[in-house]
Amino acid sequence: MKYFRVSYHFSYFICCLSFLFVGLFSTIAVAQQTSPKVKELEQQRKKLLDQIEVTTRLLSETKQTESNAIQRIQLISGQIDDRFRYISLLKEEVRVINGNLKSTESKILSLEKDL
């Protein structure tokens, strides 16, 4: 039952991550200006990716022995938490970039009216 739960969370994570990447990259292409908040979020995102990579490596190492099953479960649980935080950071990044985009669009409209 626990395997199904982890598998379901992982599938959900992959699905959410795919949608977020599509939204993030299309938004980034439009909003080329990066604010300090976006840079900070990018740094946090990179840090979480590094942390996920470390836990993935640790999972590979502990997979070799069955006696470490509890440790594996704890690592997987931590990795799921990290991935949910990563998704939250991506959502925040998209929100900030969308705000920057709206601000830029309103400036463009204002400048066009001035012409």
Side-chain angles (χ1 to χ4, degrees):
M1 190 65 144
K2 289 181 182 179
Y3 174 75
F4 173 75
R5 194 170 127 210
V6 171
S7 177
Y8 171 77
H9 286 301
F10 185 72
S11 298
Y12 177 76
F13 167 75
I14 295 297
C15 181
C16 289
L17 191 59
S18 298
F19 285 118
L20 284 172
F21 277 132
V22 168
L24 177 66
F25 289 123
S26 63
T27 305
I28 287 176
V30 175
Q32 294 180 359
Q33 298 175 344
T34 56
S35 68
K37 179 69 174 174
V38 172
K39 288 181 182 180
E40 178 185 335
L41 290 170
E42 286 175 354
Q43 289 174 347
Q44 290 177 1
R45 181 173 42 87
K46 287 176 185 176
K47 186 176 178 181
L48 274 173
L49 281 176
D50 290 341
Q51 199 170 355
I52 290 169
E53 185 178 319
V54 167
T55 57
T56 300
R57 184 181 47 79
L58 289 173
L59 283 169
S60 296
E61 292 173 4
T62 59
K63 189 176 185 179
Q64 297 169 1
T65 61
E66 286 297 317
S67 62
N68 293 332
I70 293 174
Q71 184 181 7
R72 282 185 48 75
I73 291 170
Q74 290 171 340
L75 286 170
I76 290 170
S77 176
Q79 191 175 45
I80 289 170
D81 292 341
D82 288 343
R83 289 176 186 221
F84 277 116
R85 285 197 312 267
Y86 179 77
I87 289 171
S88 295
L89 281 172
L90 286 175
K91 286 179 182 178
E92 178 68 15
E93 228 176 298
V94 168
R95 187 189 65 73
V96 169
I97 290 171
N98 280 336
N100 290 345
L101 178 62
K102 288 178 183 177
S103 173
T104 303
E105 286 174 344
S106 67
K107 288 177 186 176
I108 290 171
L109 288 174
S110 174
L111 291 171
E112 285 176 346
K113 286 180 182 179
D114 289 345
L115 289 178

